[in-house]
Amino acid sequence: MSKAIGIVTTEFAEFDGELQLESGRLLGSLRLAYETYGVLNPERSNTILVCHAWTGDAHAAGKHSADDRKGGWWDDMIGPGKVLDTDRYFVICSNVIGSCKGSTGPTSINPRTGKPYNLTFPVLMVRDMVRAQKLLLDRLAIPTLRCVIGGSMGAMQAIEWGIHYPQMVQSIVPIAGTGRTSPMSIALNALARQAVFNDPMWKKGNYKPEHPPADGLALARAVGHISFLSDVSMRMKFNRKFSARDGLFDFFGQYEIERYLEYNGKNFVERFDTNSFLYLAKALDLYDVAWNFDSREEAFSQLTCPSLWFAFTSDWLYVPADTEECVTILQKLGKSVEYHLIDSDYGHDSFLVEPEKFTHHIVSFLDRLES
Amino acid sequence: MSKAIGIVTTEFAEFDGELQLESGRLLGSLRLAYETYGVLNPERSNTILVCHAWTGDAHAAGKHSADDRKGGWWDDMIGPGKVLDTDRYFVICSNVIGSCKGSTGPTSINPRTGKPYNLTFPVLMVRDMVRAQKLLLDRLAIPTLRCVIGGSMGAMQAIEWGIHYPQMVQSIVPIAGTGRTSPMSIALNALARQAVFNDPMWKKGNYKPEHPPADGLALARAVGHISFLSDVSMRMKFNRKFSARDGLFDFFGQYEIERYLEYNGKNFVERFDTNSFLYLAKALDLYDVAWNFDSREEAFSQLTCPSLWFAFTSDWLYVPADTEECVTILQKLGKSVEYHLIDSDYGHDSFLVEPEKFTHHIVSFLDRLES
């Protein structure tokens, strides 16, 4: 039961055709990075699709080599005997298009020019990401999804899956998501964007990969980081502690919270591409489940499967009220919907920090689907 | 009763001596900009000191010329028959040191070098600002203050006045303040700082006034602006409205909230100095009423006058809980304290946007002081 997932390898699927995007533009050819955990059953009926957040990747569980100190980003959740039990389920996670973690994105070569897309890459919506994932599932000849689950941007993908592929999706679990992003979250992304635009190294997106707009991206990440935390979590972790090596009256002296943001911002530059960060931020801003429907009610009326929703009390980026609006609409439509508001102090990050507070609901939800 | 304050002039007081700062450094000579409204009574007992916030100035009420379209920043509050009734009170507002609105700050000439201070200006605390104001009141031969009142950074000054000059201060009214800034507010200021530091035009503070780090300061201001608003106020004002002249799928297309932040950020560059902005941000971060006391309890035990406190439900910068901690300490100490939590959706800016929700409490508080 509790043996680990072990060593996994990221795989890649190539698609020659072009994907029609919500913007009307075409994107292709496409490459999608993905990982799988567990075994597809003979009936091909036990797949769970895990959708990652903004800066996530396909590496959701296991290790890439025995030397890896850490497992995938949701390793606590995925594995034998875990919440997404790989003894029972075949779990897939694929990197979204627009990202820089193996799937086609702004760093990819534009086949029409032979050069990286950079800002010629099309603006994407979350719906486009899901449409690309559908190509992957078709390629893998997976006809049904037992569940589509994800947090934050992953929750948006789960919602889109449920609405646009109702014949294929048997349940969705949106965690710390929203039916449409708020002006506050757009405003924070605007700060992050401007931080990059202000960096002369950005060069309107035509920086060389080895010379990214590091200062701008680090600051942009710090904006995001603040929005993932909460007033209370910052008090618990940092409060007003001043950096021991700085003088309180030094102009450049830092509180611990400042040092933490700076450190994490700089680290982020090592692992993420700036243009990808911006394109995914744009997709988040554009997210509205009602896009191309007359209303959210009409959008949610497409959903036929049971859904399980989680929001977190201290999440001020995607506030519980926004999840609750979605849940209320589904209830009014007579859909099978379960919702839990989880009391946690860790802000938007709560779903990663305190999984023990809510994952038992996921286990029983999945069990009930089988019965 | 309801005649306007009319035309006012900013006055300046010069002080040859040096002010001993909390950092141990000396600052001098000093110049303080101030305005007064109403008439000092023969007993010299009717003065109300108004303290301004971060980017405020001495021009609290009236107009500088008949052509001015707007009055001072608290013109709604100050004047004949208004909350701070200039038919009864002699109202003073002085620009804080560290600012760029007429009082000594980083743009001033350092008398020891003959050049602008820039980053050689000492790091200040709010307590230093108050100490400088005390010099002004002594110069004006004002022995007592009927009330010290202010919002945000102005609230901090009111608190410091009450604690450090108890023999002189007869009441304080801290509005939307805090006894010490939170790590969240420090983190937001850290973003603003970094936005400036990243701007090559900043030149470690040695920019020419005519070539300020405009992009960095505009972004820094946008950070602040977001923190003054609230999730709800942004929904009310902007929601997800997209700029009519932009394409939804343009990479540089903007939501209305983005355009608003950009517009206000750029405007701000015209009216405020970057280094002053940074020094005042630092003073906000360093603000802790317990500084150089053993505890907040010891600090507040110095206060002898009645105090009237306001917090606002949607203020996520200086959250009501922080004001309530101060109030609770004062209550435990047996002090005369009155507190109102005002239900407003306008975030930290509520005190400027919806004065009608709380100013009647100020009127009756001031009336009771006289009886």
Side-chain angles (χ1 to χ4, degrees), chain B residues 243-268:
Chain B
S243 171
R245 70 178 194 206
D246 291 354
L248 192 65
F249 293 104
D250 290 350
F251 183 82
F252 292 101
Q254 288 186 317
Y255 283 87
E256 289 288 352
I257 175 69
E258 298 183 75
R259 172 153 305 188
Y260 172 82
L261 291 171
E262 188 178 36
Y263 174 82
N264 279 283
K266 285 184 174 165
N267 264 2
F268 183 67

Side-chain angles (χ1 to χ4, degrees), chain B residues 317-331:
Chain B
L317 185 64
Y318 299 162
V319 298
D322 284 343
T323 290
E324 286 159 14
E325 279 186 11
C326 298
V327 169
T328 301
I329 291 169
L330 288 166
Q331 285 169 334

Side-chain angles (χ1 to χ4, degrees), chain A residues 22-24 119 121-125 128 180-200 202 204 215-216 219 222-223 226 229-231 234-235 238-240 242 248-255 257-258 261-262 275 278-279 282 284-288 291 316-317 319 322 325, chain B residues 22-24 119 121-125 128 180-200 202 204 215-216 219 222-223 226 229-231 234-235 238-240 242 248-255 257-258 261-262 275 278-279 282 284-288 291 316-317 319 322 325:
Chain A
E22 290 296 327
S23 62
L119 291 206
F121 196 77
V123 167
L124 298 176
M125 296 189 89
D128 298 315
R180 56 185 178 205
T181 43
S182 68
M184 174 64 90
S185 72
I186 293 169
L188 292 164
N189 282 350
L191 297 181
R193 266 188 283 281
Q194 198 60 52
V196 171
F197 297 170
N198 281 358
D199 189 329
W202 186 57
K204 286 239 169 181
D215 292 343
L219 176 53
V223 175
I226 287 176
L229 303 176
S230 77
D231 182 272
M234 288 191 205
R235 287 174 201 253
F238 306 102
N239 209 348
R240 290 180 49 84
F242 204 80
L248 192 64
F249 292 104
D250 290 349
F251 182 82
F252 292 101
Q254 288 186 316
Y255 283 87
I257 176 68
E258 297 183 77
L261 290 172
E262 187 178 38
N275 288 338
L278 296 174
Y279 272 90
K282 196 81 188 163
L284 292 169
D285 290 352
L286 291 175
Y287 185 64
D288 184 348
W291 166 251
W316 62 283
L317 184 63
V319 298
D322 283 343
E325 279 187 10
Chain B
E22 290 298 325
S23 62
L119 292 205
F121 197 77
V123 168
L124 299 176
M125 296 188 89
D128 297 315
R180 57 186 177 203
T181 44
S182 69
M184 175 65 89
S185 71
I186 295 168
L188 292 164
N189 282 350
L191 296 181
R193 267 188 281 282
Q194 198 60 51
V196 171
F197 297 169
N198 281 359
D199 190 330
W202 187 56
K204 287 237 168 183
D215 292 343
L219 177 54
V223 175
I226 288 176
L229 303 176
S230 77
D231 182 271
M234 289 191 206
R235 287 173 200 254
F238 306 103
N239 209 349
R240 290 178 51 81
F242 203 79
L248 192 65
F249 293 104
D250 290 350
F251 183 82
F252 292 101
Q254 288 186 317
Y255 283 87
I257 175 69
E258 298 183 75
L261 291 171
E262 188 178 36
N275 288 338
L278 297 173
Y279 272 90
K282 196 82 188 163
L284 292 169
D285 291 351
L286 291 175
Y287 185 63
D288 184 349
W291 166 252
W316 62 282
L317 185 64
V319 298
D322 284 343
E325 279 186 11

Side-chain angles (χ1 to χ4, degrees), chain A residues 28-219:
Chain A
S29 57
L30 279 187
R31 182 191 204 228
L32 296 178
Y34 68 100
E35 295 192 2
T36 69
Y37 322 103
V39 180
L40 185 62
N41 64 12
E43 301 80 20
R44 311 186 84 78
S45 66
N46 67 332
T47 301
I48 291 180
L49 179 64
V50 167
C51 301
H52 69 71
W54 192 352
T55 61
D57 54 32
H59 184 39
K63 295 183 171 185
H64 281 164
S65 86
D67 299 336
D68 283 3
R69 269 182 294 176
K70 292 208 295 186
W73 59 268
W74 231 10
D75 200 53
D76 287 348
M77 283 282 286
I78 304 166
K82 294 183 181 175
V83 175
L84 307 182
D85 184 352
T86 50
D87 288 338
R88 295 166 66 186
Y89 301 113
F90 180 58
V91 177
I92 302 180
C93 182
S94 112
N95 184 223
V96 298
I97 56 172
S99 179
C100 54
K101 296 295 192 178
S103 294
T104 299
T107 59
S108 303
I109 299 297
N110 180 345
R112 295 184 196 186
T113 65
K115 288 189 264 187
Y117 283 102
N118 297 341
L119 291 206
T120 68
F121 196 77
V123 167
L124 298 176
M125 296 189 89
V126 172
R127 201 164 291 175
D128 298 315
M129 301 173 188
V130 166
R131 205 163 274 144
Q133 289 164 356
K134 175 67 161 59
L135 293 177
L136 175 65
L137 292 170
D138 290 346
R139 171 73 55 86
L140 298 175
I142 292 172
T144 61
L145 291 170
R146 182 65 57 87
C147 183
V148 185
I149 183 172
S152 193
M153 191 177 83
M156 298 172 185
Q157 294 165 67
I159 297 169
E160 295 294 300
W161 263 104
I163 285 175
H164 294 281
Y165 301 102
Q167 72 292 356
M168 185 168 171
V169 175
Q170 294 169 352
S171 76
I172 62 170
V173 182
I175 305 168
T178 175
R180 56 185 178 205
T181 43
S182 68
M184 174 64 90
S185 72
I186 293 169
L188 292 164
N189 282 350
L191 297 181
R193 266 188 283 281
Q194 198 60 52
V196 171
F197 297 170
N198 281 358
D199 189 329
M201 297 299 288
W202 186 57
K203 305 175 195 293
K204 286 239 169 181
N206 291 316
Y207 54 88
K208 294 228 170 72
E210 62 273 26
H211 298 297
D215 292 343
L217 183 60
L219 176 53

Side-chain angles (χ1 to χ4, degrees), chain A residues 287-298:
Chain A
Y287 185 64
D288 184 348
V289 66
W291 166 251
N292 265 347
F293 290 103
D294 285 341
S295 64
R296 282 190 293 174
E297 285 72 11
E298 195 203 344

Side-chain angles (χ1 to χ4, degrees), chain B residues 228-230 232-233 236 314-315 344-351 353-354 357:
Chain B
F228 305 152
L229 303 176
S230 77
V232 171
S233 70
M236 291 190 297
S314 58
D315 186 347
S344 174
D345 288 329
Y346 292 94
H348 188 60
D349 270 350
S350 294
F351 79 97
V353 180
E354 299 196 310
K357 284 197 170 171

